[in-house]
């Protein structure tokens, strides 16, 4: 078979990082049970910075506005991005925070 690669290392680190994040989230909810929105915002900001760092490391630059504007922005694409950002990320984070608050009581 193929020898291990950097991608394999990333694949092994992802569940560990996810578990640590979930654990820290639960600790935060236990300490600040009414701060689910704020903890969700902090988690989202951390993800934004992680994505920016990954982009910089992967391509050595962020995409320029001209590259972004050249993309075909169909209604379907915009709706898919909105769904991903608002529902599957933000709403899921809020629900996760509320559940963590209940479970940590």
């Amino acid at each position: 078979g193929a020898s291990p690669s950097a991608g394999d290392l990333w694949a092994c680190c992802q569940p560990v990082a996810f578990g640590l994040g979930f654990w820290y989230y639960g600790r935060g909810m236990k300490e600040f049970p009414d701060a689910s929105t704020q903890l969700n915002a902090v988690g989202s900001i951390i993800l934004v910075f992680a994505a920016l760092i990954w982009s910089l490391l992967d391509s050595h630059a962020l995409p320029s506005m001209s590259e972004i504007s050249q993309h075909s922005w169909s209604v379907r694409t915009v709706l898919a991005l909105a769904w991903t950002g608002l529902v599957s990320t933000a709403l899921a984070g809020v629900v996760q925070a509320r559940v963590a608050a209940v479970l940590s009581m």
Side-chain angles (χ1 to χ4, degrees), residues 44-56:
S44 296
I45 290 168
I46 290 170
L47 285 175
V48 166
F49 282 115
L52 289 173
I53 290 168
W54 186 325
S55 178
L56 288 170

Side-chain angles (χ1 to χ4, degrees), residues 29-45:
M29 288 308 303
K30 186 177 274 187
E31 192 170 335
F32 305 104
D34 296 328
S36 61
T37 304
Q38 292 88 341
L39 286 171
N40 187 36
V42 169
S44 296
I45 290 168

Side-chain angles (χ1 to χ4, degrees), residues 18 21-22 24-26 28-29 32-45 47 82-102:
F18 180 81
F22 210 76
Y24 278 115
Y25 211 78
M29 288 308 303
F32 305 104
D34 296 328
S36 61
T37 304
Q38 292 88 341
L39 286 171
N40 187 36
V42 169
S44 296
I45 290 168
L47 285 175
W83 176 268
T84 301
L86 297 174
V87 177
S88 68
T89 302
L91 181 61
V94 169
V95 170
Q96 173 185 338
R98 301 286 162 100
V99 168
V102 170

Side-chain angles (χ1 to χ4, degrees), residues 63-71:
S64 68
M65 288 307 288
S66 63
E67 289 174 318
I68 293 170
S69 65
Q70 290 173 0
H71 183 72

Side-chain angles (χ1 to χ4, degrees), residues 57-75:
L57 291 174
D58 190 46
S59 63
H60 306 293
L62 294 173
S64 68
M65 288 307 288
S66 63
E67 289 174 318
I68 293 170
S69 65
Q70 290 173 0
H71 183 72
S72 86
W73 291 100
S74 68
V75 172

